[in-house]
Amino acid sequence: MPASPDQGPSPVAGPPATGRTALVTGATAGIGAAFARRLAAEGHDLVLVARDAVRLTGFAEELSGRHGISVATLPADLSTDDGCAAVEQRLGADPPVDLLVNNAGISLNQPFLRSSVADETRLLRLNVHAVLRLTLAALPGMTARRHGAVINVSSVAGFGPVMPGSTYSASKAWVTNFSESVGQSVRPYGVRVMALCPGYTRTEFHQRAGINMSKMPRWIWLAADDVVAESLRDLRKGRLVSVPDWKYKLAVAALRVAPQRLVHAVTRDARGRIDRDGY
């Protein structure tokens, strides 16, 4: 339900309301939260989707109070059919959603041979299946209105097998290819679909997956707010794929042209290392 402005800070002067609504999944942390803050500051009304209802409500009240916009919350686990169905229903309702940001996703801190069907299925349902379902739910209305956009958050990891033993990069390769393909098909209707492919970004993502990133150099990290700002600029330019920051643009170019043996040699990942017995 919409957050009430009198439950949070007093509204402050900001840009006029756009009359447009954005729906953001995985909205309470990291890149999703950065999208919500940026879009709220630009005057968009919001529908925020995440699993943690308490955290979701608090964030909605903060944004509504600060920017004087309407913020609705939709607690849902997008790795389940019921969770996807709830968001699909909202995407088909009024007021129409003008921008869908499919940000929710997970990684696993284990190589494939140590994984389980349940864990791998959950990753695919969230990273792939939910993106497919919600994009398909949003696009018919957008194409009918001749207006709208979808941003599917992918990853630089999707441009090559850069995490040996992990299926995360494979799921993100699908998101990027899917977004490029669908984006081309809806362009004639005035609708944009774009894959956002950030590199390492300071969020809760790795911590939630139990991945220790303490040895990564500081220069490699991106700020979520910067990632969002560049992605929205690329969306307005009509790009099908957005790779924020020059160093990751270079990395993607290298992954596309470098010999596969070289790519495999320099992108080894600890999660893929197993002993001879596979344990």
Side-chain angles (χ1 to χ4, degrees):
M1 61 183 292
S4 175
D6 61 8
Q7 292 178 315
S10 299
V12 297
T18 64
R20 295 179 179 175
T21 299
L23 187 150
V24 183
T25 71
T28 55
I31 292 173
F35 265 112
R37 288 191 297 266
R38 176 64 179 255
L39 294 168
E42 291 182 355
H44 288 72
D45 291 331
L46 297 175
V47 181
L48 304 182
V49 180
R51 289 184 302 163
D52 189 333
V54 173
R55 190 173 181 183
L56 199 56
T57 299
F59 189 39
E61 291 174 352
E62 174 193 335
L63 293 176
S64 178
R66 180 173 299 169
H67 300 288
I69 58 167
S70 171
V71 185
T73 62
L74 183 50
D77 181 352
L78 295 177
S79 68
T80 68
D81 285 332
D82 287 345
C84 284
V87 181
E88 286 171 327
Q89 184 177 13
R90 175 58 189 87
L91 287 167
D94 289 324
V97 170
D98 302 282
L99 172 62
L100 167 63
V101 180
N102 278 316
N103 169 71
I106 58 171
S107 185
L108 301 174
N109 188 24
Q110 59 203 24
F112 184 68
L113 290 183
R114 290 180 183 159
S115 193
S116 67
V117 170
D119 285 345
E120 295 295 340
T121 299
R122 181 166 180 263
L123 180 145
L124 287 174
R125 288 184 67 86
L126 189 56
N127 292 12
V128 173
H129 189 245
V131 172
L132 182 151
R133 285 186 60 168
L134 301 192
T135 302
L136 187 56
L139 286 180
M142 291 180 178
T143 55
R145 295 187 298 272
R146 297 299 195 268
H147 170 79
V150 178
I151 297 176
N152 292 323
V153 179
S154 186
S155 172
V156 164
F159 290 99
V162 297
M163 297 157 58
S166 169
T167 54
Y168 173 79
S169 59
S171 73
K172 293 304 184 180
W174 183 91
V175 172
T176 301
N177 192 300
F178 167 76
S179 302
E180 282 193 89
S181 177
V182 175
Q184 292 179 72
S185 71
V186 298
R187 264 181 171 170
Y189 300 94
V191 177
R192 292 161 291 170
V193 177
M194 184 185 79
L196 167 58
C197 302
Y200 289 112
T201 306
R202 291 200 181 277
T203 68
E204 298 176 10
F205 180 82
H206 297 97
Q207 180 182 353
R208 286 182 173 183
I211 302 170
N212 182 5
M213 305 298 293
S214 61
K215 294 182 179 180
M216 300 296 291
R218 272 195 280 182
W219 62 265
I220 207 168
W221 292 99
L222 304 177
D225 289 341
D226 294 338
V227 167
V228 167
E230 186 162 348
S231 74
L232 290 174
R233 286 195 297 270
D234 286 344
L235 181 70
R236 288 162 188 149
K237 293 175 182 177
R239 291 181 176 167
L240 295 171
V241 177
S242 173
V243 181
D245 196 89
W246 64 269
K247 55 181 169 284
Y248 285 108
K249 287 179 171 64
L250 289 177
V252 168
L255 285 170
R256 282 175 162 168
V257 302
Q260 286 298 296
R261 289 183 63 183
L262 177 60
V263 172
H264 296 166
V266 301
T267 58
R268 293 177 182 174
D269 187 280
R271 279 167 285 172
R273 296 174 188 168
I274 55 177
D275 62 27
R276 291 181 180 178
D277 296 321
Y279 295 103

